[in-house]
Amino acid sequence: MRRTDRPAPPVGASPSAVERKPGGYCAEAARDQLRECERAEKLANSEVAVAPTVSERIAQNYIPISAALRDPLPLVRGAFEAGDLDHRRVDAIWRSTADIDDSLLSRVEAEILAAARRLPPGRLGVEIDRGPGG
């Protein structure tokens, strides 16, 4: 007799074979979904790598930076798009502001941008880490 709270096995699967697997077919479906997600991430990294002719590893680093510039750092994004900031400075800003609350970030972004225009990337990261008035 089959339990009513257990969903039916996938079409074509032998119920006894599925039930013998640890975690059943739900765990198998979760593994399949994770593999598909990993494939999609690898594909995205490859696509980003092709456009600017950089390595896949560098492209993999570009993706989270571009996501971070989308909302909380509009001034930095604008300066980067205009060519006023290079990638190394934007990377330093991204790394140093990753854990800063968006409301605080919006209040100090102009200061960060001013510092980015005058400091080398390593020093910029140190200054941002130091905080306001540091």
Side-chain angles (χ1 to χ4, degrees):
M1 182 179 246
R2 186 179 230 184
R3 291 180 51 183
T4 58
D5 61 340
R6 179 179 293 205
V11 175
S14 160
S16 60
V18 170
E19 289 173 5
R20 282 192 301 249
K21 293 180 182 177
Y25 64 88
C26 290
E28 185 176 330
R31 284 190 298 274
D32 290 345
Q33 189 174 13
L34 179 60
R35 281 191 292 269
E36 186 63 30
C37 184
E38 289 169 345
R39 275 188 235 123
E41 181 180 9
K42 185 168 176 62
L43 177 63
N45 290 340
S46 297
E47 297 245 350
V48 171
V50 170
T53 61
V54 297
S55 72
E56 189 173 324
R57 179 73 176 148
I58 297 295
Q60 187 177 10
N61 292 332
Y62 283 177
I63 292 171
I65 294 170
S66 65
L69 291 177
R70 192 174 357 176
D71 293 320
L73 296 166
L75 300 176
V76 172
R77 182 185 65 238
F80 185 48
E81 287 173 348
D84 296 338
L85 293 180
D86 62 12
H87 182 265
R88 290 185 59 218
R89 284 176 176 79
V90 171
D91 184 60
I93 293 168
W94 171 70
R95 290 180 188 285
S96 296
T97 61
D99 295 329
I100 297 177
D101 179 68
D102 286 353
S103 62
L104 174 59
L105 194 55
S106 67
R107 292 192 305 263
V108 298
E109 184 185 15
E111 293 175 50
I112 291 171
L113 183 56
R117 288 187 166 131
R118 63 179 165 71
L119 296 173
R123 180 79 176 141
L124 174 61
V126 169
E127 288 297 313
I128 294 170
D129 291 342
R130 205 178 275 168

